Amino acid sequence: MSNPDLDSPPDSGGPAPAEIPSEPDVDQLLDRLEQLEELVDHPDEREQVRETMAVARRIPGLDAVGRGIRKYTARDMAEAFVGTILLALPLLVEDGVFVIADHFVGTTRAGIPIYLVGNVAFVVVLTTGLLYWTDIREVNVTNPLFGVVPRRLIGVLAISFLTAAVLLATWGRLAVDDPSPLEAFARITVVWTAGAIGAALGDILPGESAGHDVTIENLDEIVSPNK
């Protein structure tokens, strides 16, 4: 005869243990850690949270996490700069840049250089596609500017444009034939087209880079860590 006291589990009177999911989601863990990083105020505690996140991303077998890119760091900016140099440099010695720029400026509708505007739009769309619409890497949009604009997209476009402009200026290619400001801008956009592709590929091909995630909130802390 069974004893009911032995058959039923004892009642400890405490709260029921939390249910453990059968398939733990590491992405959820990283999301929780990012939320925790925003809550803590002390720099040492925030650094401990970041180190924990870095350890979680390096867990063997987590292919999805290993392929995903979540942070945007200073090293990513450097990689974008190098990628721009690699693809933009050959164009600096090509006079075809001047011919294309003249075509951009010379074709207008209602006073608007339509091909120049179209090329700028093409660069933005192409760069966005390389970063977020291809299967080269899984790139996640985190902490977007103004809640909408991806930081990585702005960084890649800005770095490649500024690099193209500086290269053209230092190599004297903006001064040839004394161009107008619009013609000089058109020359930059021609080199920028190739440079933006190189910047996007240089950024995402190596995968996620180590270092601090550059955001508006922690920019001052990154620049002056001892403050």
Side-chain angles (χ1 to χ4, degrees):
M1 184 173 181
S2 63
N3 188 336
D5 293 334
L6 296 178
D7 293 341
S8 59
D11 185 6
S12 61
E19 182 180 353
I20 300 177
S22 58
E23 297 182 1
D25 189 343
V26 180
D27 284 333
Q28 283 186 347
L29 171 62
L30 293 173
D31 290 338
R32 295 289 180 88
L33 288 173
E34 287 181 352
Q35 294 173 7
L36 179 60
E37 180 185 2
E38 296 175 357
L39 292 176
V40 296
D41 298 325
H42 198 279
D44 291 340
E45 296 175 348
R46 188 177 293 115
E47 183 62 27
Q48 290 178 1
V49 175
R50 290 171 180 162
E51 290 176 356
T52 304
M53 294 169 62
V55 171
R57 293 191 180 102
R58 293 197 299 267
I59 296 176
L62 298 179
D63 296 334
V65 177
R67 287 194 304 266
I69 299 176
R70 303 172 65 87
K71 295 191 300 181
Y72 186 57
T73 68
R75 185 172 297 182
D76 292 321
M77 298 178 186
E79 291 168 349
F81 171 74
V82 173
T84 301
I85 295 291
L86 291 177
L87 289 194
L89 205 58
L91 294 180
L92 295 180
V93 298
E94 291 292 337
D95 290 341
V97 171
F98 304 150
V99 176
I100 298 173
D102 290 342
H103 171 67
F104 283 167
V105 175
T107 307
T108 62
R109 294 291 185 274
I112 299 175
I114 56 174
Y115 288 132
L116 177 60
V117 174
N119 186 65
V120 172
F122 169 74
V123 174
V124 174
V125 173
L126 178 62
T127 306
T128 304
L130 284 174
L131 291 175
Y132 302 106
W133 300 338
T134 63
D135 292 330
I136 299 175
R137 292 283 186 181
E138 179 186 347
V139 181
N140 301 294
V141 178
T142 58
N143 299 312
L145 299 176
F146 311 109
V148 178
V149 184
R151 293 172 296 153
R152 188 177 305 276
L153 176 62
I154 295 300
V156 166
L157 291 174
I159 290 170
S160 57
F161 183 87
L162 291 175
T163 302
V166 171
L167 287 175
L168 283 166
T170 55
W171 284 43
R173 305 297 279 174
L174 288 182
V176 176
D177 296 333
D178 192 22
S180 67
L182 185 60
E183 290 171 341
F185 174 77
R187 293 180 184 181
I188 294 173
T189 63
V190 174
V191 179
W192 181 42
T193 303
I197 298 173
L201 295 177
D203 182 351
I204 63 176
L205 280 179
E208 181 162 283
S209 300
H212 292 288
D213 195 15
V214 178
T215 64
I216 297 298
E217 291 76 12
N218 68 1
L219 186 60
D220 183 64
E221 178 184 338
I222 295 172
V223 174
S224 303
N226 296 325
K227 285 180 87 175

